[in-house]
Amino acid sequence: MSPDLYHRRATCRLCKSSELISVVQLTPTPPANAFVAEEGIDQTQSVFPLELFFCERCHHVQLLDVVNPDYLFRDYVYVSGTSPSFVRHFEEYAGNIIKRFQPKPRALVVDIGSNDGTLLKFFQEQGQTVLGIDPAVSIAKAASDAGIETWPEFFDANTVKRILAEKGKAAVVSANNVFAHADDLAGIADNIRALLAPDGVFVFEVSYLGDVYEDILFDTIYHEHVAYHSVGPLKQFFAAYGLDLFSVCRVSSHGGSIRGLVQIAGGPWRSDESVEALIAHEQALKIDRAETWSNYGEKIISVGERLRGLLSEIKGEGKSVAGFGAPAKATTLMYHFGLGPDIIDFIADDSPLKQGLYSPGLHIPVIPAIEIYQRKPDYRIILAWNFAKPIMDNHKKFRDDGGKFILPLPRVEIY
């Protein structure tokens, strides 16, 4: 496979140790958002290893197989603003940060991986100066055109030098579900420290490893997510780079995430008990032990057997099954459980960026959600399971007309 597309690193991206153990092996997949147009469906897409490693020194869980970020992110098709629940989440998020830290009017807020600017819009409405940094060229342009200045760049040292020269220090730097995306976390930590004002705050959200373990949310493992975070390793990591993780809370997004608050070491914000409380929780779950993750694969197999058995029974009765939602996590779930076009006839999604395309590798067509009512499948498997409630609430008519929903995770259930 071309080294331009993929490489395997040899050290932990948090502590740089080479004491790494392979603990979970999932089915290799294409990049989770590598949707293709109709003219590309006859071409076989490259797949990459999807293998989870545990660091024996700092207990961080991660992928070592790294797909070129240009390949992953320059033509990105995920946007936050198409999800009403995420819009509400970001509105609450911005309000919480402003209320707690009270940045001055027109203070600089920089969002790393800002996507379509949904979060920054709420900071802007509160009188802050905002800047998005996102390598997805078309999404960055659309955000800028909508009034949220967005640079189509990666958050590297050159970008930070430009921000400092043109905008100055930042009162708030945020990164939402992207601190898990970067291979060079050490470089990002250095860049955040350089960009923050002395009383500034770095706030990040990432899927929480504790939830990934407890609810068997294995489909959140895909190539964009090279790091699977827990609080213990993160506290050590930030301290090593002159930063202080002083508060953490759990939030419901993506099936279970954490929101962490970080300041320059010696900064003015008081640490609370949340960091140590979550470290104790992780120790109780034993997710800081390699053997816990070595047994995780068996739990995944058990879920897969239940789901595949149910879907095979449904198809054997001559019933039709459609997917609902085409999130990145669906690629991992469908590949690992063998859910191809023989099982799922099509996938409905609300995002115009995905409609008319075909799913990564398996090439299942993606259609607008409204077409569900013309095609009338018997069952809809909710691939975007973290939005199951609003999806079912918004499509009550589907159930009223006799259709049924299947929830694959955290438990296989029919509604």
Side-chain angles (χ1 to χ4, degrees), residues 16 55 63 70 82 123 140 182 257 259 325 331 358 365-366 403:
K16 300 182 180 178
C55 175
L63 303 182
D70 274 314
T82 58
F123 279 104
S257 298
R259 181 185 298 167
T331 300
Y358 292 77
V366 181

Side-chain angles (χ1 to χ4, degrees), residues 9 12-16 112 154-161 173 179 182-195 202 237-238 240-241 243:
R9 65 176 294 142
C12 173
R13 60 179 50 83
L14 288 193
C15 75
K16 300 182 180 178
I112 307 168
F154 287 100
F155 185 73
D156 57 23
N158 288 331
T159 300
V160 170
K161 287 177 183 177
V173 177
F179 204 63
D183 187 35
D184 182 18
L185 291 180
I188 288 181
D190 284 336
N191 292 331
I192 289 167
R193 191 179 65 251
L195 183 57
F202 170 54
F237 168 74
F238 284 120
Y241 288 90
L243 296 165

Side-chain angles (χ1 to χ4, degrees), residues 332-350:
T332 299
L333 185 140
M334 291 191 296
Y335 262 84
H336 197 63
F337 288 166
L339 308 181
D342 58 320
I343 298 291
I344 299 175
D345 300 331
F346 59 89
I347 300 170
D349 194 272
D350 289 323

